[in-house]
Amino acid sequence: MKPTKRISHLFLPTVFMLAASLSGCGGDGGKAPSEAEQPSGSGPVALTVWGAEEDEELLLQIFDSFQEKYRGQADFQITYQPQSESHCTDALMADLENGADVFAFADDQLNTLVAAGALDPIENPEPLRAANLPEAVSAASVNDTLYAYPLTADNGYFLYYDKRVFSQEDIQSWDRMLDIAGEQERKVSMEWSSGWYVYALFGNTGLTVGLNDDGITNYCTWNDTEGPVKGTDVAKAMTAMAEHPGFLSTDDAGFLAGVQDGTIAAGVSGTWNAVAVEEAWGSGFGAAKLPSYTCAGQEIPMASFSGYKLIGVNSYSQNRDWAAKLAEWITNEENQALRFRLRGQGPSNKNAAASEEVQGSPAIAALLAQSEHSCLQRIGGNYWEPVAAFTAEILAGIPSGKSLQELLDTMVTGITAP
């Protein structure tokens, strides 16, 4: 759930007083830094950390290991505040100078944070580049300059399906899956209220959307009237899906509820739901790349936005050296492996990602298979509402009476607005 769209509310902080002492090395590479590289100062060090609410147990363990690693170097006062990675920038921009010292955020917010002066280039970036997947490094960079610490490489979506309902052959075709679900009075779901998922239907058609060079406005050709696949071809396919008895547009909560009560037999979602879906389906649990769907007489593979979670260090932090050391510690190989074990999140660290444990995860394997048809989410804020308005009209049966071309034109005008 994973794109950036709305402002979320901060929770009351939980303060953890961690008296810590330094002994030896820190960071991702496992190499002991020299005396000159160590953060200076031996007095109290106050750091505020923002992370996902679900990460509290994980972060407590990481804070403890950080304490052991730097025992005796300073008296740490680490304040943890749950804050959604998807809405981190909105919360941070409300009071940047007094915002969190260390914060987790979704990679599509990077350009905004850099432009606002919230992030400075990473000092000594080469160990981070070497330790992490190239795509994650790219997601954490602006114009080849690294500004954040890669944390996960799993913020994308793929297909969950019940093996007791669908065969390996069935899951190659979205249309076939809808027919099977409809025959059993069950559903195949995708969230059309979010442009993050709607991109799946436009992404491999030759129709394009993206961020202009100004880093703010969008270009979009989803209403094109020429080419092998026209905008109206996609809209017609979507109209047919919306009318199909086997289809359901629902959000994350609705997807999980449907999986648990048996009404949903397959759906498009991400790794954050893997544990809950597997618990509900048991031996029927399956995950795979997205299927193809019929459009303009062709079978078009569904596309996806890929995303990465990053850790940033506030350029206004009063303890930037220690904030950087904590960010590096949160994202090192050992703690990314721990994050996978506790939270099921796919590592961006090469060694952690290559582990047998990670490679054996059906959800991670599905995400990797889908990566062939995925791209980084790089779009401006005007994208979301026009797409949601377009899909709402389609789902409602086009009560406005407008033609599909008119609906597409209106959507594109909104997406590309200055």
Side-chain angles (χ1 to χ4, degrees):
M1 48 84 324
K2 303 314 172 200
T4 302
K5 288 189 284 184
R6 303 180 184 88
I7 298 174
S8 73
H9 299 289
L10 287 177
F11 294 79
L12 293 176
T14 302
V15 180
F16 304 102
M17 305 293 292
L18 303 177
S21 311
L22 173 73
S23 72
C25 65
D28 211 22
K31 175 184 173 184
S34 68
E35 194 70 30
E37 292 172 318
Q38 297 292 359
S40 60
S42 57
V45 174
L47 296 171
T48 297
V49 179
W50 285 355
E53 182 180 10
E54 300 82 4
D55 284 351
E56 181 173 355
E57 178 184 349
L58 167 66
L59 287 173
L60 284 176
Q61 291 194 36
I62 292 175
F63 293 164
D64 284 344
S65 63
F66 183 75
Q67 167 186 342
E68 290 301 315
K69 195 66 173 178
Y70 292 99
R71 182 176 298 280
Q73 185 71 13
D75 293 326
F76 295 105
Q77 300 175 358
I78 300 182
T79 302
Y80 165 68
Q81 294 179 336
Q83 172 61 51
S84 166
E85 297 105 338
S86 298
H87 308 122
C88 177
T89 295
D90 295 321
L92 196 64
M93 291 301 100
D95 189 1
L96 180 56
E97 294 186 21
N98 294 304
D101 299 275
V102 179
F103 48 88
F105 66 99
D107 70 274
D108 63 300
Q109 302 167 54
L110 181 68
N111 286 11
T112 299
L113 290 168
V114 171
L119 298 172
D120 289 329
I122 300 293
E123 294 183 12
N124 190 27
E126 292 313 311
L128 280 178
R129 294 183 189 278
N132 287 278
L133 299 169
E135 297 87 351
V137 172
S138 177
S141 303
V142 176
N143 296 327
D144 296 324
T145 299
L146 194 65
Y147 282 92
Y149 297 78
L151 178 65
T152 72
D154 65 353
N155 196 25
Y157 46 91
F158 49 89
L159 179 73
Y160 284 106
Y161 70 99
D162 189 335
K163 294 179 180 179
R164 297 165 298 187
V165 178
F166 304 103
S167 70
Q168 285 292 312
E169 183 178 358
D170 294 334
I171 63 171
Q172 305 305 311
S173 168
W174 183 257
D175 303 78
R176 173 65 179 152
M177 293 181 71
L178 291 179
D179 287 343
I180 292 171
E183 290 168 1
Q184 299 186 19
E185 297 185 351
R186 301 177 75 181
K187 303 292 183 181
V188 176
S189 73
M190 178 187 287
E191 184 181 356
W192 281 11
S193 62
S194 171
W196 201 54
Y197 295 101
V198 175
Y199 175 77
L201 301 169
F202 285 90
N204 275 329
T205 61
L207 304 170
T208 61
V209 67
L211 198 62
N212 287 319
D213 290 339
D214 60 12
I216 299 173
T217 60
N218 301 306
Y219 61 84
C220 183
T221 66
W222 286 6
N223 61 338
D224 269 10
T225 59
E226 299 180 357
V229 179
K230 305 174 181 62
T232 51
D233 293 325
V234 179
K236 288 175 183 176
M238 293 179 69
T239 299
M241 288 180 205
E243 295 173 347
H244 198 291
F247 177 74
L248 175 67
S249 173
T250 187
D251 61 12
D252 229 30
F255 166 69
L256 280 180
V259 165
Q260 291 164 348
D261 68 20
T263 57
I264 288 179
V268 178
S269 189
T271 56
W272 54 91
N273 282 325
V275 173
V277 175
E278 186 168 12
E279 287 177 351
W281 285 342
S283 62
F285 174 72
K289 69 177 181 64
L290 296 176
S292 297
Y293 77 104
T294 304
C295 180
Q298 308 173 45
E299 290 300 307
I300 297 178
M302 287 187 179
S304 62
F305 277 134
S306 61
Y308 301 82
K309 292 179 183 177
L310 311 173
I311 295 290
V313 173
N314 194 332
S315 60
Y316 288 92
S317 172
Q318 297 300 305
N319 293 291
R320 283 181 57 200
D321 288 345
W322 278 116
K325 295 303 292 183
L326 180 55
E328 187 178 16
W329 188 254
I330 290 171
T331 59
N332 68 16
E333 177 184 340
E334 179 182 357
N335 285 320
Q336 287 199 26
L338 178 65
R339 178 175 290 272
F340 174 77
R341 289 195 297 273
L342 293 186
R343 297 280 288 111
Q345 295 180 344
S348 66
N349 179 277
K350 292 177 182 176
N351 291 340
S355 71
E356 184 176 345
E357 185 178 22
V358 172
Q359 291 296 312
S361 164
I364 298 298
L367 192 66
L368 291 173
Q370 179 59 31
S371 65
E372 178 185 353
H373 297 294
S374 69
C375 70
L376 279 175
Q377 177 189 306
R378 289 295 182 264
I379 44 179
N382 284 341
Y383 171 79
W384 306 103
E385 294 305 326
V387 175
F390 170 77
T391 55
E393 185 79 7
I394 297 292
L395 289 168
I398 316 182
S400 68
K402 294 181 179 179
S403 69
L404 293 178
Q405 188 64 52
E406 288 177 304
L407 294 176
L408 289 162
D409 290 342
T410 298
M411 175 175 64
V412 170
T413 297
I415 291 173
T416 59

